Each structure stands twice: as structure tokens, then as C-alpha cells.
Amino acid sequence: MKMNLKTCHRFFATAFVYYLTCMTSAVVAGEPSVLEIPTNPVAMPVAVLIGKNFNQHRAAHFELIELDATNIGLNLALPVQIIPAAGEDGTLSEGDQQLLVMIPPNDTARRTRRFRPQPSKNKPLNQFRFEAISEASLGIWQGDQPVMAYNHGKITDQRVPKDDHRRHRHGCYIHPVWGLDGEVITDDFPKDHYHHHGIFWTWPHVRIGKEEYDLWTYSNIEQRFVRWIHRETGPIAAVLAVENGWYVGARQVMIERVWIRTFAAQGGRRAIDISMTWIPMDRAITLQGAAGKSYGGLTMRFASRDDKHTTITVPAGRATEDLPDTPLPWADYTSQFVGTQALSGATVMIPPTHPDFPPSWLTRHYGALCVGYPGVQAKSFPAGKAFTLNYRVSVHGDSAQLENLKQDYNAYTSAMKVHWSE
């Protein structure tokens, strides 16, 4: 039988896919073998749960091969990173793992892309490293580029008056966050609000029994570092998990566990996923945001250099005024920062699975994006029961046009639809 060149290509393409299918099934036998991912016009960071038997030997390396391409020679081989998953209480899950992968953009007309895992002969490059900046701060680098620092100890600023309790109460937060060109985009101890500090999560109204506390300014309650839960770097992301506590004097009233997953920069973006789990100790805790404003929860304070270049963009477009107590799925802050003449910034995103979605925000052009949850209406959380909030901070290095921001948020929500199939 004679085959022309086109027939030969089809024959070998089919044979190659069949070979990959058989080889991979032997490695991950008994588990779904195809990862279905929505088509995306921008780079999509993906984190998907897998069974504990997927990679029994941590020394083994895997990659994802894209199926259904019109030319088998153009199929993508993507490195993956397999990490422990967080349990419902924010500690390491006993049985689950997560597969991390960065899916490059695709403009195909197909609504779904399909990928199959297979063993890789090559060890993927570890892009990240942790390094202590001080006794109180742990830094994350991607190559030679600083990405962020997690401050687990108390940070003091000599510019704050000695008699002001906010001088040295900061702890358990992210700062600095560096932009893609090496500029610092977050602020700490700003003159207008000494208690603002990088990316942080605090509330102005914390009630326990008949007593009320102010975690927002650390006047009579504070966060303290307890222990590291997990640290890991790899080809896709740096993963940091930490346990803190809320303390009134010597008494701990809340367990706080935070997972920070920092993806490698790609396509002019860097995704930072933050997952926070809290468990009230022996008594219920009631949280409430500021009346009429709704701040209280995740907050990002920016260090803009020139207000003339500052824009806040929301799904409806550019916000010309500050937005108090406003429901939003995302908000972006773009400005000029020390270290660059270009515009840059970050988008804070809320997943559709967030309670009371979309929550109410307070935005400030002077440099603050404040997600409010539970907002101006108080909510009580029972003792011993965990609750979790998830967010993404997308650091970008451009002027953040509305259409680009919408595509970035769509990639975030589309990644939640990724699933395994047979």
C-alpha cells in the first residue's frame, strides 16, 4: 500500500498520540487522564486538585501535552509543579495535592483545550527562591527579580511618633510587592495612615462576647506569627503557607492560616493567589467593616508617586471618584511608582465562590483598594468552625486598559472551571 506525504503525517500523528495515551495511563492508572481547560486569550495560571496517587514518587517529573492540535509537531509540552493542597482548616491536606501549570494564550475557535500528563525526561527549571531579608521578613525572588516579602515579625518605622502605638505593631503581612520592572508598588506606614501596610487583612470591629477590639489599627488586639506550614519553590510558583494567631494580650482568640501562591510572571502579568482560613478559638467572633465605607478584610495599600497618573478601574470603567461601600468583582489601581517612568499597578480579584459575591469595597485614589467582608453588616463566626476567603492580586506592568483587565479576570474565573475527564 502506498501512502502520500499527507497520509504519512496523519498516520504518525495518530500513532504518537496513541503512544502518549498508553504511556501516561500506566503512570496515572485509575485516575482521570485528560485535563480540560477553557480556551483563553491571555496566559492562565491553573491550580487543580489531583489524587494522592498521581505522583507517588516526588522525584518524577511530569509535563502536560496538548491534544487536538491540527499539527502534532506544534503541540505544547508544559512543565507542571505538584504541591500539597490545603485542607479545610488551612493545614496540609492528608490526601490531596494540586497540579500547578501556566497555560499560554490560545486563539482557537474551540471552546475547550485538552491536555494529558506524561512523564518528562527533563527536570524543569526552579524559577524561585526564598531568602531571609531580616529576622522579621522572608523574601521571594524569581531568578534575580524580587517579587515580594512576607513579614512574619514585627516591623518598626522610626518616622512614626514614639507615643503612637502603630509605630511597631505591624506583623503578618506582605510588603514590599515589587512590580515587573523592579519598582515597589506597595506602601508601609504611609503618613496619612500609619496603620496601612502593604497587603494586609484586618478589621476595625472585632467583637468577642461583650468586648470590642480594633485589629485595623492594632490598638488592643494583634496578629502574631506562630509557625511555618509549608514552603516550596518550583518551575511554576513559589508557595508559602503560614499560621498566625490573633492575640488579646497573652490570650489567643483566633487561628489564622494563610497560603500565598506566587506564579511566575508571564504575558506582562504576575498572579498572586492568597487564601486565608480563620478558626475562632473558644468563643464566637463577630467581624464588621467600617460604617458607610465597608473597609475591613483584605486591603492593598499602594505607594503611588504621582496622583496625576493614578487611575482606578472597575468593570464599569474608570472610576473618577472614590467608591465607598460599592459591590465589585474586581478593581484595579494603576499609577507611577518610584523606580520606573512607566505605568504599572495591580488588580485585586474576587472569585465568584466568595461569600456574598460580589462583596462591597472602599477604593481610594490616594492608594487603597479595600475589600469589605462581611461589610457594614456584622457577621458572627462560631467557635471551632473554619471559614476561608480567597483572592488574587494580579500585578501588571502596563497602563491596564479595561479590555485587558476584563480578560485577566476572565482567565481567573475560567481557571476555576478546569477539570479532569476520562
Side-chain angles (χ1 to χ4, degrees):
M1 181 180 68
K2 295 183 178 180
M3 292 190 291
N4 58 31
L5 183 61
K6 186 175 182 180
T7 303
C8 287
H9 282 170
R10 288 178 178 175
F11 173 80
F12 285 109
T14 302
F16 184 63
V17 171
Y18 178 76
Y19 163 75
L20 293 182
T21 301
C22 293
M23 181 173 66
T24 306
S25 297
V27 175
V28 291
E31 298 197 1
S33 55
V34 175
L35 191 62
E36 297 192 1
I37 298 175
T39 295
N40 50 297
V42 296
M44 180 189 293
V46 169
V48 61
L49 281 174
I50 56 177
K52 62 182 178 180
N53 295 323
F54 179 89
N55 185 6
Q56 294 180 356
H57 305 290
R58 293 295 295 241
H61 307 297
F62 286 84
E63 61 188 8
L64 291 183
I65 297 294
E66 185 169 16
L67 308 178
D68 305 325
T70 55
N71 186 330
I72 194 68
L74 297 180
N75 277 9
L76 291 173
L78 303 176
V80 303
Q81 182 177 341
I82 297 174
I83 66 170
E88 292 184 0
D89 64 354
T91 60
L92 293 173
S93 172
E94 294 183 359
D96 293 324
Q97 295 175 303
Q98 281 189 319
L99 181 149
L100 305 183
V101 63
M102 181 69 73
I103 304 296
N106 184 281
D107 58 1
T108 179
R110 292 192 304 272
R111 301 177 67 178
T112 303
R113 303 168 70 182
R114 303 195 308 151
F115 294 81
R116 187 184 297 280
Q118 73 169 30
S120 174
K121 296 179 180 179
N122 302 315
K123 180 180 180 181
L125 177 66
N126 184 352
Q127 297 200 61
F128 293 91
R129 63 184 171 90
F130 291 108
E131 184 177 315
I133 297 175
S134 70
E135 293 183 354
S137 303
L138 180 67
I140 300 175
W141 276 259
Q142 182 182 348
D144 295 329
Q145 176 72 41
V147 176
M148 68 164 63
Y150 180 78
N151 300 297
H152 50 94
K154 289 185 179 181
I155 306 297
T156 299
D157 194 309
Q158 302 300 326
R159 296 172 299 174
V160 182
K162 292 183 178 181
D163 59 351
D164 192 321
H165 72 273
R166 296 173 295 178
R167 179 182 173 95
H168 52 75
R169 283 294 186 95
H170 288 5
C172 308
Y173 67 105
I174 300 169
H175 173 80
V177 174
W178 281 272
L180 302 184
D181 291 327
E183 72 279 20
V184 174
I185 67 172
T186 53
D187 205 352
D188 202 2
F189 296 97
K191 292 182 179 180
D192 52 17
H193 295 80
Y194 286 140
H195 49 280
H196 286 185
H197 46 294
I199 300 177
F200 62 104
W201 38 92
T202 60
W203 282 263
H205 303 291
V206 178
R207 288 194 291 275
I208 306 173
K210 297 181 179 180
E211 300 297 324
E212 179 162 326
Y213 305 93
D214 178 7
L215 188 62
W216 184 258
T217 65
Y218 294 85
S219 61
N220 51 6
I221 185 174
E222 64 180 3
Q223 294 158 300
R224 298 177 194 166
F225 171 80
V226 175
R227 66 183 176 107
W228 300 111
I229 297 174
H230 186 68
R231 274 190 264 180
E232 179 173 333
T233 60
I236 309 301
V239 181
L240 179 66
V242 61
E243 180 175 324
N244 307 314
W246 295 9
Y247 288 84
V248 176
R251 180 170 64 96
Q252 184 176 357
V253 298
M254 180 81 90
I255 296 170
E256 175 182 280
R257 297 183 178 124
V258 182
W259 285 69
I260 303 167
R261 189 172 55 216
T262 304
F263 286 91
Q266 184 168 323
R269 298 287 190 275
R270 174 184 287 119
I272 303 170
D273 289 345
I274 304 173
S275 179
M276 297 169 288
T277 298
W278 294 274
I279 306 174
M281 299 286 285
D282 56 345
R283 288 187 290 175
I285 291 181
T286 299
L287 303 178
Q288 185 176 11
K293 299 178 181 179
S294 191
Y295 65 76
L298 183 81
T299 300
M300 186 167 185
R301 176 61 198 252
F302 293 85
S304 58
R305 186 179 67 190
D306 187 348
D307 290 344
K308 294 180 181 179
H309 294 90
T310 296
T311 60
I312 291 179
T313 306
V314 297
R318 180 174 176 178
T320 57
E321 304 290 339
D322 291 343
L323 302 176
D325 197 12
T326 303
L328 297 168
W330 59 265
D332 178 83
Y333 188 96
T334 296
S335 191
Q336 272 191 352
F337 302 90
V338 174
T340 179
Q341 296 298 321
L343 294 174
S344 59
T347 313
V348 178
M349 303 179 182
I350 315 295
T353 54
H354 192 282
D356 299 337
F357 179 84
S360 288
W361 297 50
L362 170 68
T363 67
R364 294 293 200 200
H365 281 77
Y366 63 67
L369 295 180
C370 311
V371 181
Y373 178 78
V376 298
Q377 299 297 322
K379 182 178 179 61
S380 293
F381 300 89
K385 186 174 181 180
F387 65 100
T388 299
L389 301 177
N390 297 301
Y391 303 96
R392 170 169 289 176
V393 175
S394 179
V395 178
H396 58 77
D398 55 29
S399 59
Q401 298 299 316
L402 179 60
E403 185 59 32
N404 294 338
L405 296 173
K406 287 183 176 180
Q407 288 183 344
D408 200 17
Y409 181 72
N410 183 67
Y412 178 45
T413 57
S414 293
M416 299 174 190
K417 302 174 184 177
V418 170
H419 64 278
W420 294 97
S421 65
E422 298 293 342

